[in-house]
Amino acid sequence: MSTNDPDRDWFAPPPSQPTQPPQPTPPPQGAPPPQGAPSDRGTPPQGPQRPQPPLAPARPRRGQRQPFSPGAPPPRPRRGTAPFPDQQVWPPPQSRSVSTATQPIPVIPSAGPLPPSTPPPPPPAEDAPPSVPTPPPAAAAAAVRPRRRRGRTLLLGVGAVVVFTLGMGLPTADRYLFYKSGQPSETVHVVPVGQQVTYEHVTWLAVIKPTPPPAGTTHTTPDKQWLKITVTRKAADETGTLLTGRPELTVRDKSQRTWQVEIVEDNLPTDKHEVHRAYDYSALAVVPKAVAGEVELHLEPNITYRSDTPTEKLLQVTPEDEEKAARNDVLIFRR
């Protein structure tokens, strides 16, 4: 066959090339082994040999197409490849539109009018700088929320402080009212400098002078000043001769700091006083030198004790005594 034969199958091998290589024919069983076999070298003869399976056809070389035979099975696909299913390649399939649906679309019941949409933010003004973007409404709302929370936290803190103050202040106020019920406010009687005053049947006079520390005392330093206070009393009438109770003395500066005054001696008689006769109390006090020239004497006279009161009635309190004690009278001698 020439190479220009139009009836030649170009995918089949030429007639001169065999389709399969010749296979060797096995020798029949019981036949003597060929020369050069192991039996010729003195080896014992072996038992009957099993028939060998037929040899597989030789694979074609790489690049050479396997010849087609009518009874041969179809060639196996390559590993890793899957056969493509039948599908339309041309023309491309047309997608089915919604209008060609064969079933009606169910009607969705109306749930009312749609909520109003949020209007878009207004465009920025022409005179505003373009570099400052206008925050969206969500960002503005998020920026406002911390302020509300901060204000709520502040209100809670103020409320806690108020509750704590009331809880601590109410008992304190109650104790103060109870204290004031037994310790009423002072009824002040001011005495001008160098003058005397008559109060509750007794005339009082006070003189304050600096004095050196007493001999042998250790309660003194360069920043302290000792004061000698002389208080003179006179009975203005017969009732005054019976009011012989000892007064309470203190000294105070302008800022109401108080120092105690100690009476060290007096010349009062043990029996009834005489009318218009002077009797003295000698007292000492220690104050800072910075206020030694401004402290004033505060004198609280005893206007309830009477020297003629029987012993069995000393502890009795009359309504008149309660009224006098409620006044809490104080005589202040100016300097």
Side-chain angles (χ1 to χ4, degrees):
M1 181 182 295
S2 64
T3 57
N4 296 330
D5 188 0
D7 297 334
R8 179 184 176 182
D9 186 3
W10 294 99
F11 297 95
S16 60
Q17 180 179 354
T19 57
Q20 293 183 359
Q23 300 181 1
T25 303
Q29 298 182 1
Q35 296 181 0
S39 58
D40 296 342
R41 294 191 296 267
T43 58
Q46 298 180 358
Q49 298 182 357
R50 296 181 181 179
Q52 297 182 0
L55 298 177
R59 294 183 179 181
R61 298 180 181 178
R62 182 176 297 179
Q64 182 179 3
R65 186 177 299 272
Q66 184 177 2
F68 175 77
S69 58
R76 297 181 180 179
R78 296 182 180 178
R79 182 176 298 178
T81 60
F84 293 96
D86 296 338
Q87 60 180 353
Q88 182 178 352
V89 179
W90 187 261
Q94 298 181 358
S95 61
R96 180 177 298 177
S97 61
V98 181
S99 60
T100 59
T102 58
Q103 296 182 357
I105 300 177
V107 179
I108 301 176
S110 176
L114 297 176
S117 59
T118 305
E126 296 180 359
D127 53 351
S131 60
V132 181
T134 303
V144 173
R145 288 179 183 177
R147 296 182 179 177
R148 294 180 179 176
R149 293 180 180 177
R150 191 178 300 110
R152 182 180 179 183
T153 305
L154 180 61
L155 291 178
L156 291 177
V158 172
V161 172
V162 171
V163 171
F164 177 78
T165 304
L166 291 177
M168 297 296 294
L170 289 178
T172 304
D174 183 61
R175 297 189 188 100
Y176 176 76
L177 294 177
F178 177 77
Y179 168 80
K180 294 298 292 182
S181 64
Q183 301 289 336
S185 300
E186 296 178 350
T187 302
V188 178
H189 305 273
V190 179
V191 182
V193 179
Q195 297 185 15
Q196 60 183 8
V197 61
T198 301
Y199 179 74
E200 288 291 334
H201 311 284
V202 179
T203 301
W204 299 92
L205 177 66
V207 177
I208 302 176
K209 293 181 180 180
T211 183
T217 182
T218 58
H219 187 66
T220 180
T221 55
D223 59 336
K224 295 180 181 179
Q225 178 63 54
W226 285 79
L227 298 177
K228 181 179 180 181
I229 303 173
T230 303
V231 179
T232 303
R233 62 178 297 167
K234 297 178 184 178
D237 50 24
E238 289 294 330
T239 304
T241 60
L242 302 174
L243 298 176
T244 59
R246 175 176 288 191
E248 293 183 7
L249 306 177
T250 57
V251 289
R252 300 182 186 178
D253 61 358
K254 294 182 180 180
S255 59
Q256 297 303 313
R257 292 185 299 175
T258 304
W259 292 268
Q260 191 68 31
V261 178
E262 185 70 22
I263 297 176
V264 293
E265 61 179 354
D266 61 68
N267 58 359
L268 276 69
T270 56
D271 54 358
K272 184 180 178 179
H273 292 189
E274 296 181 10
V275 179
H276 301 301
R277 182 175 177 177
Y279 301 96
D280 298 330
Y281 296 100
S282 295
L284 293 175
V286 183
V287 298
K289 280 189 176 182
V291 297
E294 67 180 50
V295 292
E296 299 174 340
L297 178 66
H298 288 235
L299 186 149
E300 299 181 15
N302 189 339
I303 59 178
T304 58
Y305 172 76
R306 294 173 61 96
S307 60
D308 61 346
T309 303
T311 306
E312 63 273 7
K313 295 183 178 179
L314 286 176
L315 299 180
Q316 293 182 1
V317 180
T318 63
E320 183 181 1
D321 294 340
E322 292 181 356
E323 188 274 333
K324 289 180 180 180
R327 294 201 307 259
N328 195 13
D329 298 291
V330 178
L331 305 180
I332 301 178
F333 292 87
R334 298 298 187 189
R335 296 185 65 189

